[in-house]
């Protein structure tokens, strides 16, 4: 079976959601341009994007496009593998005269081209609409170099996000449970990154409250673009290797389980425990919880409190996670130390 035939089959399968995603992003580009014009009212201000030493200052239109793109990529990434597992369409795919490598690659080609193509088209419509709404070329004051670098940084971030969510959809079954896991895991990424930086600061003897590793990162510069592209490519490359292996070894017998690869349940559980413990215990999210509890918004939290909060979150995650992964029928035993097998 040729790659062209596989793409045509997969496009027929997903064309509804893909056309919907494309239409939503194109409409968003036009709407964002209209919002910018309506909000600023003055042509020169409406088309000037501010770049400062602290990073890119998004206007109304830029924020709208990023949020909508984020949601669309989240949905597409989750559906890439999850939908076929949930509907048992994998039984049909794996019976075709095509290798799993072909199916895996062509899926990513279709979804990846849709994400990149619609992203570019959305920004073209946004800038084109602004240009049409402004009759004097002198008013079209856009810094093309910084604009392009920032836009490419956004695209790399979205592609990395897609890779992360697609991985969740491939490795986890049970649509509702995996959707809830995605809703928890993705928004907490920024807190996990912050928590990891804070732990690194503690390790080298630096006060994390006086240090900000990302504050000076400007996405509109070559250095910022290089950082975003480098980290994104590392994430995409690592997850591609992992998912490529997983798709080739995906067993239809495990359909319906929360974890589709039982041998990795323990590793997944402890990875989740560490991830959430760091994301909550050592981030600004944990500091906010601590500030609410003690009714003091000083902005700092002792390391001992961070560690205690991380232990509590880790225990709760371990308690619920082991029941979900091993014995869902033993929910009442979630917070007991007895072994579930």
């Amino acid at each position: 079976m040729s790659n062209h035939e596989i793409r045509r089959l997969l496009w027929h399968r997903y064309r509804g959601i893909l056309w919907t995603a494309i239409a939503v992003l194109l409409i968003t580009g036009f709407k964002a341009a209209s919002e910018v014009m309506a909000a600023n009212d003055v042509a020169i201000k409406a088309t000037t994007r501010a770049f400062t030493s602290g990073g890119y200052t998004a206007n109304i239109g830029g924020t709208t496009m990023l949020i909508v793109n984020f949601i669309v990529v989240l949905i597409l990434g989750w559906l890439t593998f999850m939908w076929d597992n949930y509907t048992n369409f994998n039984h049909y795919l794996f019976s075709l005269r095509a290798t799993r490598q072909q199916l895996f690659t062509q899926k990513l080609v279709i979804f990846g081209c849709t994400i990149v193509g619609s992203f570019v088209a959305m920004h073209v419509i946004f800038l084109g609409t602004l240009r049409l709404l402004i009759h004097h070329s002198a008013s079209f004051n856009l810094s093309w170099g910084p604009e392009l670098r920032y836009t490419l940084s956004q695209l790399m971030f979205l592609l990395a996000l897609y890779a992360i969510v697609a991985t969740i959809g491939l490795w986890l079954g049970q649509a509702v449970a995996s959707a809830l896991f995605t809703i928890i895991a993705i928004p907490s990424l920024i807190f996990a990154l912050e928590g990891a930086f804070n732990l690194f600061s503690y390790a080298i003897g630096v006060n994390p409250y006086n240090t900000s590793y990302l504050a000076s990162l400007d996405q509109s510069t070559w250095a910022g673009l290089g950082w975003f592209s480098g980290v994104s490519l590392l994430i995409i490359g690592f997850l591609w290797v992992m998912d490529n292996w997983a798709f080739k070894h995906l067993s239809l017998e495990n359909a319906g389980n929360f974890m589709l690869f039982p041998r990795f349940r323990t590793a997944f559980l402890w990875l989740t425990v560490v991830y959430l413990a760091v994301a909550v215990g050592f981030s600004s999210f944990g500091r906010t919880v601590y500030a609410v509890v003690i009714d003091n918004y000083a902005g700092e939290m002792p390391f001992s409190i961070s560690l205690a909060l991380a232990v509590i979150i880790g225990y709760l995650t371990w308690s619920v996670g082991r029941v979900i992964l091993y014995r869902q029928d033993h929910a009442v035993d979630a917070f007991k130390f007895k072994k579930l097998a």
Side-chain angles (χ1 to χ4, degrees):
M1 194 171 188
S2 68
N3 290 334
H4 174 71
E5 291 174 318
I6 296 173
R7 284 196 300 271
R8 187 168 59 181
L9 170 66
L10 293 176
W11 175 262
H12 180 78
R13 163 74 170 169
Y14 303 117
R15 68 185 187 279
I17 184 63
L18 293 179
W19 276 122
T20 300
I22 293 170
V24 167
L25 292 178
L26 296 183
I27 293 171
T28 300
F30 176 78
K31 187 176 186 301
S34 302
E35 286 180 354
V36 170
M37 295 298 297
N40 290 276
D41 198 39
V42 179
I44 253 187
K45 292 182 179 178
T47 55
T48 299
R49 295 205 179 184
F51 294 89
T52 68
S53 59
Y56 176 84
T57 304
N59 56 27
I60 295 176
T63 304
T64 300
M65 290 191 294
L66 181 58
I67 292 174
V68 174
N69 237 312
F70 183 91
I71 296 173
V72 168
V73 168
L74 206 66
I75 295 173
L76 291 182
W78 185 76
L79 287 175
T80 301
F81 298 106
M82 172 57 66
W83 185 243
D84 289 346
N85 177 65
Y86 176 70
T87 59
N88 293 320
F89 191 69
N90 278 336
H91 289 75
Y92 171 71
L93 287 179
F94 294 163
S95 68
L96 297 174
R97 291 180 294 104
T99 65
R100 292 202 181 189
Q101 180 66 61
Q102 284 180 295
L103 296 172
F104 176 78
T105 301
Q106 297 312 313
K107 267 194 180 190
L108 296 185
V109 166
I110 288 178
F111 279 87
C113 288
T114 299
I115 291 171
V116 174
S118 56
F119 177 87
V120 172
M122 179 185 66
H123 281 80
V124 168
I125 289 178
F126 173 73
L127 295 174
T129 302
L130 283 180
R131 184 66 184 86
L132 290 174
L133 293 176
I134 298 170
H135 303 292
H136 302 290
S137 58
S139 300
F140 198 65
N141 183 22
L142 185 68
S143 301
W144 287 103
E147 168 71 11
L148 180 59
R149 288 189 289 270
Y150 178 78
T151 302
L152 289 176
S153 297
Q154 267 194 354
L155 179 58
M156 294 306 299
F157 160 75
L158 291 170
L159 290 176
L161 174 67
Y162 170 77
I164 293 172
V165 183
T167 300
I168 295 174
L170 174 58
W171 285 73
L172 301 184
Q174 296 182 343
V176 175
S178 65
L180 290 175
F181 180 84
T182 303
I183 292 173
I184 294 173
I186 297 304
S188 62
L189 276 174
I190 187 64
F191 296 116
L193 183 61
E194 180 190 8
F197 279 132
N198 288 343
L199 273 176
F200 175 75
S201 297
Y202 282 125
I204 62 176
V206 176
N207 186 344
Y209 299 102
N210 298 329
T211 307
S212 180
Y213 296 96
L214 300 178
S216 60
L217 182 64
D218 188 344
Q219 303 97 302
S220 64
T221 63
W222 286 111
L225 173 60
W227 190 91
F228 267 84
S229 299
V231 173
S232 297
L233 288 174
L234 282 175
I235 294 173
I236 293 169
F238 174 76
L239 294 181
W240 184 89
V241 172
M242 192 171 73
D243 293 345
N244 188 40
W245 177 92
F247 194 75
K248 291 178 180 178
H249 293 82
L250 183 62
S251 174
L252 300 178
E253 296 178 356
N254 295 323
N257 295 334
F258 178 74
M259 186 72 180
L260 298 182
F261 301 89
R263 74 177 89 169
F264 296 109
R265 285 182 301 190
T266 301
F268 174 78
L269 176 59
W270 284 107
L271 179 63
T272 305
V273 167
V274 173
Y275 173 84
L276 290 180
V278 172
V280 176
F282 297 95
S283 70
S284 56
F285 181 84
R287 291 200 300 273
T288 301
V289 174
Y290 175 69
V292 171
V293 171
I294 67 172
D295 194 24
N296 183 354
Y297 293 86
E300 295 191 14
M301 181 167 63
F303 177 79
S304 59
I305 301 297
S306 293
L307 185 61
L309 184 57
V311 170
I312 293 172
I313 295 299
Y315 171 68
L316 294 175
T317 304
W318 172 77
S319 299
V320 176
R322 69 195 186 115
V323 169
I324 294 175
L325 289 171
Y326 292 97
R327 293 295 298 273
Q328 299 178 44
D329 56 327
H330 279 53
V332 294
D333 295 328
F335 297 99
K336 296 179 181 179
F337 282 96
K338 63 182 292 187
K339 181 179 180 181
L340 299 179

